[in-house]
């Protein structure tokens, strides 16, 4: 079949971009633009790999924040983990060159399976050693089984069961009868001939509200305990004590950051192989900064905009970046983005489609002249990045950094 | 020079899209998808042209909501107005074929001029009969003049002065000394040799809060009075009474909708040629519906998503459309989008990157089975549309409508 991700979507012209922009200085780029400090991305990625290594656990990189081949390489480093999570079929499809290369061998499609996507997922599964799916409903399983029965050449499905440890997005609550019923159904012979449980998965999205290492560490332990309870239940159904049978995959960027403060001996004993996962940590943003788990200097993403007007009567400035360029994401830190560097003292207080209004957050700050560029740290890197077709890559901070590369994103679904 | 809009950006493959999707039924399309009912778009566009005609005023179509060639054609209809507004240089650049064809002859770049964009704007100005710029600061003018002095072949600039009638986004307040000073500076010989005032422009963005035809009509009259005050001041500086000298351009979608209820004789007498402008009216959305100026049936845009899970314990459903597919825009109607049709009674209550949670807004509504598609009316069409590279075009409503065309958007800046 033809994968829908391969229909119609076009890739930006990398050669034209490289020729036009490599060697340019950030402040001379067309605005709005999305700028990434590769040195910081690499440091953030290495730090996370080192967390996993210190704890002796596996690592699975969520690629939805950056959606680039170069970003996957930095996330995996020299670790040979080879395991990633994607949020769209387009991301999985676009990573096929890395699968072919051997860098990636295990892809988890992280959204609970939409029945209509099953034929494409079956096709993608044949293109890599391991494609994992996310399960949280018997209806999804029924659709998988129906496909496998109709197409006996279908590869056996490998799935994570999603456990809701408090975010109330996807997943079933720990120890709930719904979760136990799903697990029992998965292990029943009429299902298990087509579908294999690979592991149990928790994502504490609510950890974005944590504001200290201590509380994020507690949330990390809650993720582990929640996923482990599901694994324990599955082992009890199987009447097995094989703690290598399942993978227990946990993490959200704040809890994954907090893993840095966990000693191996502190880790709860679990009935499976522990695996850490996270995505936003490579870029970070104001939401991550608000958790107090990173330094402001760790944030690697900026939106470049230009001051286009000043309004003395209302003490505001206009920039040419609005909610398309920045996204309408908010967080504990007020505004839609913080202005860095010499213009510090201003925040993006209001936005419409292409207009941003800088409002004052420091009485002593002066206005930035019309025509000067400003760098803005966004609230939520995953959503802000989605408006851009490519990132301009630099290796240092500020308006005078030189562009050293261009990374092209896999947008679409 | 090379226009930055022409560097790197790639267009989706129209032929591949047409071949794959024309003739398909909406419910069989890959999700998330953005669906447009062309019949409704055309009706909405014709109604607005008819408003302008009844009032005997000009009309200028803002194209930022749809960013497609086909959309511009429907907005201009058979009117021969030929005047559009763009929010990005990419939109202006992408409309050059319509300029060549003679359908468009006058483009207003609607964001106050960023000094760094001036060389490209000068280049674009040579490619069409009239390129208008938006002005609200003497610093912008100084940058224009500096360019014209350095490049004596630069075409004389034609500008709208932006008047702030209460939105406090761009523009200077009516009758403020800042506005009068800008107008006087524009009319001074050292400036007017390079820059010509074409007109005065008001956009009552705050009219999105109006909730009746009566109040939106008052806001429309306030737009007219505000822009007219600026025109009157300019004529007084010129010691002229020539009411054909300037254009007075007013409108935001709610005030433009309210123009339907205005009789020609009710229009305030103004010192210039009146022109109506608007953008979102072709699509409409929940924000426009909340103004009570349109019917729900007038909304022509839908996001197609699939129900991927159900959570009985919390009485919620999961869809595969999150804040990238829907946008995190809100309005007086709760949620991030209203589910239409047989699934009515549910709203998109929470969103993250690719996950949407349907929450109940009607006790008697039943759950939609996993695997069924739903159509969602977004809060703000301009921002939701920006996540898609193309629209699927239908001519009727619902999940069984047939795709008759594909429209490709001009994203980027």
């Amino acid at each position: 079949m033809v994968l829908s991700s391969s229909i119609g979507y076009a890739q930006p012209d990398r050669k034209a971009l490289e020729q036009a922009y490599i060697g340019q200085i950030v402040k001379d780029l067309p605005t709005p633009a999305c700028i990434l400090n590769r040195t910081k991305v690499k440091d953030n990625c290495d730090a996370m790999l080192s967390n996993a290594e210190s704890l002796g656990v596996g690592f699975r990189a969520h690629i939805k924040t950056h959606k680039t081949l170069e970003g996957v390489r930095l996330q995996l480093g020299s670790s040979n983990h080879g395991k990633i999570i994607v949020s769209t079929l387009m991301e999985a499809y676009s990573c096929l060159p890395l699968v072919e290369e051997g860098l990636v061998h295990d892809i988890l499609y992280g959204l609970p399976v939409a029945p209509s996507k099953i034929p494409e997922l079956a096709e993608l599964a044949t293109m890599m050693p391991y494609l994992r799916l996310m399960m949280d409903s018997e209806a999804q399983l029924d659709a998988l089984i129906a496909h496998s029965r109709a197409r006996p050449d279908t590869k056996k499905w490998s799935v994570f069961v999603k456990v809701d440890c408090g975010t109330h997005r996807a997943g079933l609550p720990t120890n709930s009868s719904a979760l136990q019923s799903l697990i029992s159904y998965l292990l029943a012979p009429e299902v298990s001939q087509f579908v294999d449980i690979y592991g149990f998965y928790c994502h504490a999205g609510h950890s974005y509200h944590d504001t200290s290492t201590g509380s994020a560490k507690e949330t990390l332990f809650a993720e582990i305990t929640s996923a482990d309870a599901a694994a324990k239940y599955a082992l009890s159904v199987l009447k097995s004590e094989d703690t290598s049978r399942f993978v227990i995959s946990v993490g959200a960027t704040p809890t994954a950051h907090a893993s840095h403060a966990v000693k191996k001996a502190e880790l709860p004993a679990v009935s499976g192989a522990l695996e850490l996962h996270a995505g936003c940590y490579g870029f970070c943003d104001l939401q991550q900064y608000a958790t107090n788990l990173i330094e402001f200097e760790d944030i690697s993403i900026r939106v470049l905009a230009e001051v286009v007007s000043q309004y003395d009567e209302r003490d505001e400035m206009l920039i040419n970046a609005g909610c398309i360029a920045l996204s309408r994401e908010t967080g504990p830190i007020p505004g839609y983005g913080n202005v860095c560097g010499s213009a510090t003292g201003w925040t993006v207080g209001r936005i419409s489609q292409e207009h941003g209004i800088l409002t004052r957050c420091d009485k002593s700050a002066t206005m930035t002249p019309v025509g000067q560029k400003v760098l803005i740290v966004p609230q939520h890197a995953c959503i802000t990045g989605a408006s851009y077709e490519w990132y301009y890559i630099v290796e240092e901070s500020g308006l005078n950094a030189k562009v050293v590369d261009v990374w092209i994103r896999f947008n679409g679904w």
Side-chain angles (χ1 to χ4, degrees), chain A residues 3 32 81 129 152 181-182 198 220 252 254 272 321 346 378 384 387 402 407 413:
Chain A
L3 299 174
H81 286 298
S181 161
L182 175 67
Y198 178 70
L220 171 66
W346 296 87
T384 297
S387 290
K402 194 185 276 182
W407 291 1
W413 289 275

PDB file of all heavy atoms in Angstrom, chain A residues 3 32 81 129 152 181-182 198 220 252 254 272 321 346 378 384 387 402 407 413:
ATOM      1  N   LEU A   3       1.899   4.597   1.751  1.00  0.00           N
ATOM      2  CA  LEU A   3       1.792   5.262   3.053  1.00  0.00           C
ATOM      3  C   LEU A   3       1.328   6.701   2.842  1.00  0.00           C
ATOM      4  O   LEU A   3       1.884   7.416   2.013  1.00  0.00           O
ATOM      5  CB  LEU A   3       3.151   5.253   3.746  1.00  0.00           C
ATOM      6  CG  LEU A   3       3.742   3.872   4.041  1.00  0.00           C
ATOM      7  CD1 LEU A   3       5.148   3.998   4.599  1.00  0.00           C
ATOM      8  CD2 LEU A   3       2.856   3.110   5.001  1.00  0.00           C
ATOM      9  N   PRO A  32       9.992  35.793  11.020  1.00  0.00           N
ATOM     10  CA  PRO A  32      10.470  35.041  12.175  1.00  0.00           C
ATOM     11  C   PRO A  32      11.292  33.819  11.752  1.00  0.00           C
ATOM     12  O   PRO A  32      11.088  33.287  10.652  1.00  0.00           O
ATOM     13  CB  PRO A  32       9.181  34.599  12.856  1.00  0.00           C
ATOM     14  CG  PRO A  32       8.047  35.147  12.102  1.00  0.00           C
ATOM     15  CD  PRO A  32       8.541  35.686  10.833  1.00  0.00           C
ATOM     16  N   HIS A  81      21.318   2.731  22.011  1.00  0.00           N
ATOM     17  CA  HIS A  81      19.984   2.348  22.476  1.00  0.00           C
ATOM     18  C   HIS A  81      19.095   2.003  21.272  1.00  0.00           C
ATOM     19  O   HIS A  81      18.402   1.010  21.277  1.00  0.00           O
ATOM     20  CB  HIS A  81      19.329   3.484  23.275  1.00  0.00           C
ATOM     21  CG  HIS A  81      19.900   3.663  24.643  1.00  0.00           C
ATOM     22  ND1 HIS A  81      19.840   2.681  25.598  1.00  0.00           N
ATOM     23  CD2 HIS A  81      20.546   4.707  25.225  1.00  0.00           C
ATOM     24  CE1 HIS A  81      20.412   3.111  26.713  1.00  0.00           C
ATOM     25  NE2 HIS A  81      20.866   4.348  26.507  1.00  0.00           N
ATOM     26  N   PRO A 129      13.020  -3.631  12.413  1.00  0.00           N
ATOM     27  CA  PRO A 129      13.014  -4.789  13.325  1.00  0.00           C
ATOM     28  C   PRO A 129      11.820  -4.741  14.282  1.00  0.00           C
ATOM     29  O   PRO A 129      11.126  -5.738  14.444  1.00  0.00           O
ATOM     30  CB  PRO A 129      14.356  -4.640  14.068  1.00  0.00           C
ATOM     31  CG  PRO A 129      15.237  -3.881  13.128  1.00  0.00           C
ATOM     32  CD  PRO A 129      14.321  -2.934  12.402  1.00  0.00           C
ATOM     33  N   PRO A 152      -3.281 -12.586   6.727  1.00  0.00           N
ATOM     34  CA  PRO A 152      -2.477 -13.515   7.534  1.00  0.00           C
ATOM     35  C   PRO A 152      -0.972 -13.263   7.436  1.00  0.00           C
ATOM     36  O   PRO A 152      -0.219 -13.776   8.260  1.00  0.00           O
ATOM     37  CB  PRO A 152      -2.847 -14.891   6.957  1.00  0.00           C
ATOM     38  CG  PRO A 152      -4.117 -14.677   6.207  1.00  0.00           C
ATOM     39  CD  PRO A 152      -4.091 -13.277   5.712  1.00  0.00           C
ATOM     40  N   SER A 181      -8.695  -5.733  33.002  1.00  0.00           N
ATOM     41  CA  SER A 181      -9.463  -6.402  31.963  1.00  0.00           C
ATOM     42  C   SER A 181      -8.738  -6.334  30.611  1.00  0.00           C
ATOM     43  O   SER A 181      -8.691  -7.315  29.865  1.00  0.00           O
ATOM     44  CB  SER A 181     -10.859  -5.754  31.921  1.00  0.00           C
ATOM     45  OG  SER A 181     -11.489  -6.027  30.722  1.00  0.00           O
ATOM     46  N   LEU A 182      -8.151  -5.174  30.311  1.00  0.00           N
ATOM     47  CA  LEU A 182      -7.397  -5.030  29.053  1.00  0.00           C
ATOM     48  C   LEU A 182      -6.201  -5.980  29.039  1.00  0.00           C
ATOM     49  O   LEU A 182      -5.934  -6.656  28.029  1.00  0.00           O
ATOM     50  CB  LEU A 182      -6.934  -3.575  28.873  1.00  0.00           C
ATOM     51  CG  LEU A 182      -6.032  -3.302  27.661  1.00  0.00           C
ATOM     52  CD1 LEU A 182      -6.791  -3.501  26.345  1.00  0.00           C
ATOM     53  CD2 LEU A 182      -5.448  -1.890  27.705  1.00  0.00           C
ATOM     54  N   TYR A 198       4.712  -5.953  24.929  1.00  0.00           N
ATOM     55  CA  TYR A 198       6.143  -5.684  25.093  1.00  0.00           C
ATOM     56  C   TYR A 198       6.412  -5.050  26.451  1.00  0.00           C
ATOM     57  O   TYR A 198       7.408  -5.335  27.097  1.00  0.00           O
ATOM     58  CB  TYR A 198       6.625  -4.776  23.964  1.00  0.00           C
ATOM     59  CG  TYR A 198       8.074  -4.387  24.067  1.00  0.00           C
ATOM     60  CD1 TYR A 198       9.081  -5.332  23.861  1.00  0.00           C
ATOM     61  CD2 TYR A 198       8.449  -3.075  24.373  1.00  0.00           C
ATOM     62  CE1 TYR A 198      10.422  -4.978  23.949  1.00  0.00           C
ATOM     63  CE2 TYR A 198       9.791  -2.717  24.457  1.00  0.00           C
ATOM     64  CZ  TYR A 198      10.774  -3.669  24.253  1.00  0.00           C
ATOM     65  OH  TYR A 198      12.102  -3.321  24.340  1.00  0.00           O
ATOM     66  N   LEU A 220       8.337  10.729  39.384  1.00  0.00           N
ATOM     67  CA  LEU A 220       9.043   9.660  38.653  1.00  0.00           C
ATOM     68  C   LEU A 220       8.806   8.310  39.338  1.00  0.00           C
ATOM     69  O   LEU A 220       8.482   7.313  38.676  1.00  0.00           O
ATOM     70  CB  LEU A 220      10.544   9.971  38.609  1.00  0.00           C
ATOM     71  CG  LEU A 220      11.461   8.858  38.068  1.00  0.00           C
ATOM     72  CD1 LEU A 220      11.193   8.594  36.585  1.00  0.00           C
ATOM     73  CD2 LEU A 220      12.943   9.199  38.265  1.00  0.00           C
ATOM     74  N   ALA A 252       8.639  11.670  31.687  1.00  0.00           N
ATOM     75  CA  ALA A 252       8.141  12.875  31.042  1.00  0.00           C
ATOM     76  C   ALA A 252       9.345  13.785  31.227  1.00  0.00           C
ATOM     77  O   ALA A 252      10.203  13.469  32.064  1.00  0.00           O
ATOM     78  CB  ALA A 252       6.924  13.416  31.770  1.00  0.00           C
ATOM     79  N   PRO A 254      10.140  16.472  32.880  1.00  0.00           N
ATOM     80  CA  PRO A 254      10.531  16.817  34.258  1.00  0.00           C
ATOM     81  C   PRO A 254      10.968  15.599  35.084  1.00  0.00           C
ATOM     82  O   PRO A 254      11.958  15.670  35.828  1.00  0.00           O
ATOM     83  CB  PRO A 254       9.263  17.464  34.831  1.00  0.00           C
ATOM     84  CG  PRO A 254       8.556  18.005  33.621  1.00  0.00           C
ATOM     85  CD  PRO A 254       8.802  16.987  32.551  1.00  0.00           C
ATOM     86  N   GLY A 272      10.275  -5.843  35.984  1.00  0.00           N
ATOM     87  CA  GLY A 272      10.525  -5.721  34.556  1.00  0.00           C
ATOM     88  C   GLY A 272      11.791  -4.922  34.326  1.00  0.00           C
ATOM     89  O   GLY A 272      12.406  -4.428  35.267  1.00  0.00           O
ATOM     90  N   ALA A 321       6.326  38.582  15.202  1.00  0.00           N
ATOM     91  CA  ALA A 321       6.125  37.161  15.526  1.00  0.00           C
ATOM     92  C   ALA A 321       4.873  37.075  16.377  1.00  0.00           C
ATOM     93  O   ALA A 321       4.789  37.712  17.434  1.00  0.00           O
ATOM     94  CB  ALA A 321       7.332  36.611  16.279  1.00  0.00           C
ATOM     95  N   TRP A 346      11.465  42.460  28.988  1.00  0.00           N
ATOM     96  CA  TRP A 346      10.246  42.474  28.185  1.00  0.00           C
ATOM     97  C   TRP A 346       9.753  41.051  27.973  1.00  0.00           C
ATOM     98  O   TRP A 346      10.545  40.125  27.878  1.00  0.00           O
ATOM     99  CB  TRP A 346      10.508  43.126  26.822  1.00  0.00           C
ATOM    100  CG  TRP A 346      10.894  44.564  26.952  1.00  0.00           C
ATOM    101  CD1 TRP A 346      12.156  45.047  27.151  1.00  0.00           C
ATOM    102  CD2 TRP A 346      10.023  45.701  26.932  1.00  0.00           C
ATOM    103  NE1 TRP A 346      12.115  46.418  27.236  1.00  0.00           N
ATOM    104  CE2 TRP A 346      10.824  46.853  27.111  1.00  0.00           C
ATOM    105  CE3 TRP A 346       8.633  45.862  26.774  1.00  0.00           C
ATOM    106  CZ2 TRP A 346      10.281  48.144  27.131  1.00  0.00           C
ATOM    107  CZ3 TRP A 346       8.100  47.137  26.796  1.00  0.00           C
ATOM    108  CH2 TRP A 346       8.916  48.257  26.980  1.00  0.00           C
ATOM    109  N   PRO A 378      10.567  30.438  23.860  1.00  0.00           N
ATOM    110  CA  PRO A 378       9.135  30.132  23.845  1.00  0.00           C
ATOM    111  C   PRO A 378       8.699  29.373  25.097  1.00  0.00           C
ATOM    112  O   PRO A 378       9.533  28.813  25.803  1.00  0.00           O
ATOM    113  CB  PRO A 378       8.977  29.263  22.606  1.00  0.00           C
ATOM    114  CG  PRO A 378      10.301  28.584  22.445  1.00  0.00           C
ATOM    115  CD  PRO A 378      11.342  29.544  22.965  1.00  0.00           C
ATOM    116  N   THR A 384       5.922  25.325  19.465  1.00  0.00           N
ATOM    117  CA  THR A 384       6.515  26.430  18.710  1.00  0.00           C
ATOM    118  C   THR A 384       7.258  25.898  17.485  1.00  0.00           C
ATOM    119  O   THR A 384       7.102  26.418  16.378  1.00  0.00           O
ATOM    120  CB  THR A 384       7.467  27.232  19.608  1.00  0.00           C
ATOM    121  OG1 THR A 384       6.706  27.799  20.666  1.00  0.00           O
ATOM    122  CG2 THR A 384       8.168  28.347  18.834  1.00  0.00           C
ATOM    123  N   SER A 387       5.676  25.165  13.815  1.00  0.00           N
ATOM    124  CA  SER A 387       5.324  26.147  12.786  1.00  0.00           C
ATOM    125  C   SER A 387       6.426  26.342  11.758  1.00  0.00           C
ATOM    126  O   SER A 387       6.237  27.083  10.796  1.00  0.00           O
ATOM    127  CB  SER A 387       5.058  27.504  13.433  1.00  0.00           C
ATOM    128  OG  SER A 387       3.863  27.438  14.158  1.00  0.00           O
ATOM    129  N   LYS A 402      26.875  32.416  14.365  1.00  0.00           N
ATOM    130  CA  LYS A 402      26.920  32.105  12.930  1.00  0.00           C
ATOM    131  C   LYS A 402      26.119  30.828  12.654  1.00  0.00           C
ATOM    132  O   LYS A 402      26.200  29.865  13.416  1.00  0.00           O
ATOM    133  CB  LYS A 402      28.377  31.898  12.527  1.00  0.00           C
ATOM    134  CG  LYS A 402      28.594  31.909  11.021  1.00  0.00           C
ATOM    135  CD  LYS A 402      30.034  31.579  10.668  1.00  0.00           C
ATOM    136  CE  LYS A 402      30.920  32.828  10.752  1.00  0.00           C
ATOM    137  NZ  LYS A 402      32.325  32.506  10.357  1.00  0.00           N
ATOM    138  N   TRP A 407      18.472  22.284   9.783  1.00  0.00           N
ATOM    139  CA  TRP A 407      17.822  20.985  10.025  1.00  0.00           C
ATOM    140  C   TRP A 407      16.389  21.067   9.533  1.00  0.00           C
ATOM    141  O   TRP A 407      15.648  21.985   9.900  1.00  0.00           O
ATOM    142  CB  TRP A 407      17.771  20.641  11.515  1.00  0.00           C
ATOM    143  CG  TRP A 407      19.080  20.333  12.171  1.00  0.00           C
ATOM    144  CD1 TRP A 407      20.324  20.337  11.613  1.00  0.00           C
ATOM    145  CD2 TRP A 407      19.256  19.981  13.560  1.00  0.00           C
ATOM    146  NE1 TRP A 407      21.265  20.007  12.567  1.00  0.00           N
ATOM    147  CE2 TRP A 407      20.638  19.781  13.767  1.00  0.00           C
ATOM    148  CE3 TRP A 407      18.386  19.810  14.632  1.00  0.00           C
ATOM    149  CZ2 TRP A 407      21.165  19.429  15.014  1.00  0.00           C
ATOM    150  CZ3 TRP A 407      18.909  19.456  15.875  1.00  0.00           C
ATOM    151  CH2 TRP A 407      20.290  19.275  16.050  1.00  0.00           C
ATOM    152  N   TRP A 413       1.312  14.551   9.231  1.00  0.00           N
ATOM    153  CA  TRP A 413       0.872  13.392  10.028  1.00  0.00           C
ATOM    154  C   TRP A 413       1.101  12.088   9.265  1.00  0.00           C
ATOM    155  O   TRP A 413       1.045  11.035   9.745  1.00  0.00           O
ATOM    156  CB  TRP A 413      -0.611  13.540  10.381  1.00  0.00           C
ATOM    157  CG  TRP A 413      -0.811  14.630  11.387  1.00  0.00           C
ATOM    158  CD1 TRP A 413      -0.700  14.484  12.751  1.00  0.00           C
ATOM    159  CD2 TRP A 413      -1.145  15.985  11.176  1.00  0.00           C
ATOM    160  NE1 TRP A 413      -0.930  15.686  13.372  1.00  0.00           N
ATOM    161  CE2 TRP A 413      -1.212  16.623  12.432  1.00  0.00           C
ATOM    162  CE3 TRP A 413      -1.389  16.759  10.033  1.00  0.00           C
ATOM    163  CZ2 TRP A 413      -1.507  17.976  12.579  1.00  0.00           C
ATOM    164  CZ3 TRP A 413      -1.674  18.098  10.177  1.00  0.00           C
ATOM    165  CH2 TRP A 413      -1.733  18.686  11.434  1.00  0.00           C
TER     166      TRP A 413
END
